[in-house]
Amino acid sequence: MFRPSPFLDDKMIEHLSRYVPVLDWGRTYDRNALSNDMIAAVIVTIMLIPQSLAYALLAGLPPEAGIYASIAPIILYAIFGTSKALAVGPVAVVSLLTASAIGQVAEQGTAGYAVAALTLAFLSGGFLVLMGVFRLGFLANFLSHPVIAGFITASGILIATSQLKHILGVSASGHTLPEMLGSIFAHLSQINWITVVLGVTATGFLFWVRKNLKPTLKRLGASALLADILTKAGPVAAVVATTLAVWGFGLDTQGVKIVGAVPQSLPPLTLPGFSPDLLGALLVPAILISVIGFVESVSVAQTLAAKKRQRINPDQELIGLGAANLGAAFTGGYPVTGGFSRSVVNFDAGAETPAAGIFTAIGLAIAAMALTPLVYYLPNATLAATIIVAVLSLVDLSILKKTWAYSRGDFAAVAATIFLTLMLGVEIGVASGVAISVLLHLYKTSRPHVAEVGLVPGTQHFRNIHRHSVETDPALVSLRVDESLYFVNARFLEDLIQKRVTNGCAVRNVVLIFSAVNEVDYSALESLEAINHRLKDMGVGLHLSEVKGPVMDRLKRSHFLDDLNGRVFLSQYDAWEALAGDIVPKAAE
């Protein structure tokens, strides 16, 4: 598909392909991959047309913005991204975050609102590219999986609730669950029952299609591919049926709100806003959208890549997603990321390379040029039904039960994230979830697990004296430190040792087993020095065993080993043989 320039040798192309992956997969592109990619593109395009319109509605933008955000970004990701199946474009959670962020700086329906959306995409893209260039993908790890699961669950509830106004045909507003529900109840007198019939029917039909159409078609003898295509085309069928109903019966004159005129054109060239006030107001939301979108995108990409024994480069993914968002900013879109449902559809449909995304973009461009007049009478209720059916699959309240059974700390993080997102809004919810995760991590590591161990009889293995029947020496205390030592937990170890050796027993030696210690920072070094001096004054020796090479290298650069009131042993068994005297058996408690 791509022919390398005669001025580029293989070594140079290989180097460039690390940053422009299309140069890698493009060289081996063949007719078989082309066929598979085009089939996948047809299926994904059919699904994306109504989905893109619906997510633009969710973001508070004109429907064409959803299609625009699905063309240039897909092409740019295909050039710079590393996943062969990830499908980039508007997604529900990012659309909700977009509406929440730009709703605070501009009024929906105004030119300023659209400019704010472009600016948000620009800031998000720039932040992602910078993270990729400086290899900062690890920062996304500050969003733990329980927090992400809680946030997505709460977002799914908020998104579905926000669409009830379109199903009911009422004018409602709000960014939190109480605000939305209160506004809906306050406007119940405005209910348009024709809209309700259209919306409820479309919702029920889409739920049935998602769960039952594919097995029904297979029972009737349809091939797996045909059944899959027809199932993915379910939203299109709902769009066609309800649009014809509105047009045929003139329902738009009876209060049914419709999409209306959609520009019949390719994505326009646009410019984001660069005013300092606008950039400052959107910077933090852009960072949150970038991190959340990256986490969602990478998790999907890694899952799909593992199924074909492929790999992705997270740092290059940052650049690919950043380029996609920058493309959206200059072509009339809004922030995008890799979507779960469309990526799975792309993968299941047989996409071989990112070229499937390019063909999808071409299909959407054709739709933008030729099909937009056909959605003039499309009711907003149908788009709302599409969103509700899509996002309710994201709601997983079972995460509360699972985390409660496994870890109270993780449960607290999930519950707080869900509650704060629903009650205070998506930005406060996810920021609080991150803060709670970091605080819980600091709390856990501030009290590291330290086990006093003894020798398992007849072996050279040491185990916790409270869990196993082991041999011990009353004059020897062996402590296995199961955490790296740093400023948060350094004093904890000091206090623990002080309490253990002043407990009225004749301890003559203390051995710290460092087999699980990967790092000792300067604060921890000072604590070790304090422990050493205190034990020395008490006539007790301090020894180390099983110290890892990098930790030993760091300790050798200080005076700690020179002042150590004891020895450093290669293994804990060596320390036992050298220091143990009066051995007594100890049963597990």
Side-chain angles (χ1 to χ4, degrees):
M1 185 175 181
F2 300 99
R3 295 184 182 277
S5 167
F7 300 104
L8 297 176
D9 58 24
D10 290 341
K11 189 173 183 180
M12 186 175 295
I13 293 175
E14 182 179 355
H15 176 73
L16 288 175
S17 65
R18 298 178 186 175
Y19 307 100
V20 188
V22 68
L23 296 177
D24 181 25
W25 60 263
R27 287 184 295 168
T28 58
Y29 200 72
D30 56 24
R31 186 170 298 178
N32 182 60
L34 172 65
S35 174
N36 291 334
D37 286 343
M38 292 193 71
I39 293 173
V42 169
I43 295 174
V44 175
T45 301
I46 291 172
M47 183 188 78
L48 284 189
I49 292 173
Q51 195 178 79
S52 297
L53 297 172
Y55 288 153
L57 178 72
L58 175 59
L61 292 163
E64 65 269 16
I67 294 181
Y68 294 163
S70 301
I71 296 177
I74 295 178
I75 295 173
L76 288 167
Y77 178 81
I79 295 172
F80 295 102
T82 60
S83 172
K84 298 184 184 302
L86 191 69
V88 172
V91 299
V93 174
V94 171
S95 297
L96 176 66
L97 286 168
T98 298
S100 175
I102 61 181
Q104 299 176 22
V105 299
E107 185 178 350
Q108 186 174 328
T110 64
Y113 193 90
V115 171
L118 299 174
T119 306
L120 192 63
F122 175 77
L123 289 172
S124 179
F127 183 72
L128 286 165
V129 169
L130 285 176
M131 286 181 67
V133 169
F134 291 103
R135 300 184 179 278
L136 298 179
F138 69 90
L139 291 177
N141 295 333
F142 285 102
L143 276 174
S144 67
H145 175 71
V147 166
I148 285 290
F151 173 72
I152 290 178
T153 291
S155 297
I157 295 172
L158 284 178
I159 292 169
T161 305
S162 72
Q163 298 308 298
L164 290 178
K165 63 183 180 183
H166 298 296
I167 298 292
L168 299 175
V170 302
S171 299
S173 60
H175 295 291
T176 67
L177 188 62
E179 289 175 354
M180 291 178 186
L181 292 177
S183 182
I184 289 172
F185 280 115
H187 294 85
L188 285 180
S189 59
Q190 301 176 359
I191 288 180
N192 183 292
W193 290 106
I194 299 176
T195 300
V196 171
V197 171
L198 288 172
V200 171
T201 302
T203 303
F205 172 73
L206 291 175
F207 271 119
W208 179 83
V209 165
R210 173 167 287 204
K211 293 184 178 181
N212 301 311
L213 181 58
K214 191 170 183 177
T216 300
L217 291 172
K218 285 185 175 181
R219 284 197 302 269
L220 294 175
S223 66
L225 178 60
L226 178 61
D228 194 53
I229 292 175
L230 292 177
T231 300
K232 299 302 184 295
V236 176
V239 165
V240 171
T242 54
T243 300
L244 289 175
V246 172
W247 172 73
F249 296 103
L251 300 181
D252 57 311
T253 62
Q254 301 179 47
V256 175
K257 295 180 181 180
I258 59 175
V259 169
V262 177
Q264 192 174 357
S265 67
L266 292 173
L269 293 178
T270 54
L271 278 177
F274 295 106
S275 75
D277 291 341
L278 182 60
L279 293 174
L282 295 178
L283 180 60
V284 173
I287 293 173
L288 289 176
I289 288 174
S290 300
V291 174
I292 292 170
F294 172 64
V295 171
E296 179 181 356
S297 178
V298 166
S299 62
V300 173
Q302 288 177 333
T303 299
L304 297 179
K307 292 182 178 181
K308 289 191 175 182
R309 297 190 178 185
Q310 298 166 347
R311 63 178 297 274
I312 66 167
N313 182 338
D315 290 319
Q316 184 61 35
E317 283 296 289
L318 285 166
I319 295 175
L321 291 172
N325 277 278
L326 290 175
F330 292 99
T331 56
Y334 66 97
V336 298
T337 192
F340 177 77
S341 59
R342 69 184 66 186
S343 297
V344 171
V345 170
N346 196 37
F347 179 86
D348 290 343
E352 292 280 344
T353 72
I358 296 175
F359 298 138
T360 298
I362 294 172
L364 290 170
I366 294 172
M369 287 289 292
L371 302 181
T372 49
L374 301 179
V375 299
Y376 181 91
Y377 289 101
L378 172 61
N380 289 345
T382 302
L383 295 180
T386 302
I387 294 174
I388 290 173
V389 173
V391 300
L392 285 183
S393 64
L394 303 176
V395 177
D396 179 19
L397 293 175
S398 67
I399 190 68
L400 291 169
K401 180 180 179 181
K402 294 173 184 176
T403 52
W404 175 263
Y406 186 77
S407 168
R408 297 294 192 270
D410 287 334
F411 170 80
V414 172
T417 301
I418 292 176
F419 178 79
L420 292 173
T421 301
L422 293 177
M423 296 296 111
L424 301 178
V426 289
E427 293 176 9
I428 294 178
V430 70
S432 300
V434 174
I436 292 170
S437 293
V438 172
L439 289 174
L440 284 172
H441 172 73
L442 292 176
Y443 175 75
K444 291 175 184 177
T445 57
S446 71
R447 302 176 62 84
H449 182 258
V450 179
E452 184 171 347
V453 301
L455 180 68
V456 178
T459 73
Q460 296 183 11
H461 300 292
F462 292 81
R463 293 293 184 269
N464 194 321
I465 63 174
H466 301 301
R467 293 176 177 268
H468 301 270
S469 297
V470 294
E471 295 177 348
T472 62
D473 178 358
L476 174 63
V477 174
S478 299
L479 299 174
R480 190 188 68 230
V481 183
D482 293 336
E483 184 73 61
S484 291
L485 297 176
Y486 68 121
F487 65 95
V488 172
N489 59 26
R491 282 300 302 272
F492 175 83
L493 184 62
E494 278 190 62
D495 296 340
L496 185 147
I497 293 176
Q498 182 73 11
K499 181 179 179 180
R500 179 65 180 83
V501 299
T502 57
N503 202 23
C505 54
V507 177
R508 294 194 299 272
N509 291 287
V510 173
V511 180
L512 297 181
I513 307 171
F514 273 22
S515 56
V517 176
N518 297 314
E519 177 73 23
V520 175
D521 75 358
Y522 192 77
S523 296
L525 175 65
E526 290 184 329
S527 289
L528 289 176
E529 290 174 341
I531 293 169
N532 182 54
H533 290 308
R534 195 170 297 148
L535 293 180
K536 186 175 182 179
D537 292 341
M538 298 169 63
V540 176
L542 176 64
H543 312 269
L544 304 179
S545 72
E546 303 186 10
V547 183
K548 292 184 176 180
V551 176
M552 180 62 76
D553 293 340
R554 186 74 63 85
L555 293 177
K556 285 179 178 178
R557 294 202 292 267
S558 70
H559 296 290
F560 175 70
L561 295 179
D562 297 330
D563 299 333
L564 184 64
N565 182 36
R567 298 165 56 187
V568 178
F569 296 95
L570 184 63
S571 71
Q572 177 57 21
Y573 188 74
D574 292 341
W576 173 266
E577 285 194 317
L579 302 173
D582 300 326
I583 298 174
V584 296
K586 183 175 180 61
E589 295 180 1

